């Protein structure tokens, strides 16, 4: 700030120089902050950012929902099959006891 205010070739009083300096400082700060925020958004939220897919959000949600449904269905089918196996083993054991006993 001192360098800007010390320029004698500018035909302005000190208050005007401060007003111009503060305006330039504010514009520069907002410009840099906006550029930095845009870069952050591009790096972290766009489709090309690291760790994201090239798939739209709705399509990705649909795939995840379908995947979860298939996994749940296979777990249910697996538990039903295990239950049937257990029931058939107990029935076989009961039949052997009846046969031998």
């Amino acid at each position: 700030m001192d360098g800007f205010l010390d320029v004698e070739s500018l035909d302005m009083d000190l208050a005007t120089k401060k007003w111009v300096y503060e305006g330039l400082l504010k514009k520069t700060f907002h410009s840099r902050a906006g550029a930095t925020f845009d870069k952050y958004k591009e790096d972290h939220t766009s489709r090309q950012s690291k760790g994201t897919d090239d798939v739209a959000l709705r399509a990705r949600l649909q795939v995840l929902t379908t995947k979860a449904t298939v996994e749940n269905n296979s777990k249910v089918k697996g538990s039903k099959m295990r239950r049937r196996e257990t029931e058939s083993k107990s029935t076989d054991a009961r039949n052997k006891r009846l046969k031998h006993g």
Side-chain angles (χ1 to χ4, degrees):
M1 181 168 167
D2 292 334
F4 181 80
L5 296 177
D6 290 340
V7 175
E8 293 181 17
S9 63
L10 294 174
D11 192 24
M12 291 186 241
D13 60 340
L14 187 59
T16 306
K17 286 182 184 179
K18 283 185 179 181
W19 178 78
V20 169
Y21 180 77
E22 288 173 1
L24 289 173
L25 186 65
K26 187 176 180 180
K27 285 180 177 267
T28 304
F29 173 77
H30 285 270
S31 173
R32 283 304 322 143
T36 303
F37 186 63
D38 288 344
K39 178 72 172 142
Y40 176 84
K41 287 192 304 186
E42 181 181 321
D43 290 346
H44 294 281
T45 60
S46 70
R47 286 193 184 173
Q48 291 80 23
S49 65
K50 184 178 178 181
T52 59
D53 298 331
D54 246 0
V55 181
L57 175 64
R58 288 188 182 273
R60 193 164 127 235
L61 291 174
Q62 186 177 9
V63 167
L64 292 174
T65 304
T66 304
K67 180 180 175 185
T69 304
V70 169
E71 287 175 358
N72 288 340
N73 288 342
S74 65
K75 286 179 185 176
V76 170
K77 287 179 184 176
S79 65
K80 285 181 181 178
M81 291 176 76
R82 283 191 294 277
R83 192 176 326 125
R84 287 184 190 147
E85 290 172 0
T86 306
E87 288 172 357
S88 67
K89 286 179 185 177
S90 63
T91 304
D92 290 342
R94 190 172 349 136
N95 288 341
K96 283 183 185 178
R97 280 194 307 258
L98 292 175
K99 199 181 226 185
H100 294 295

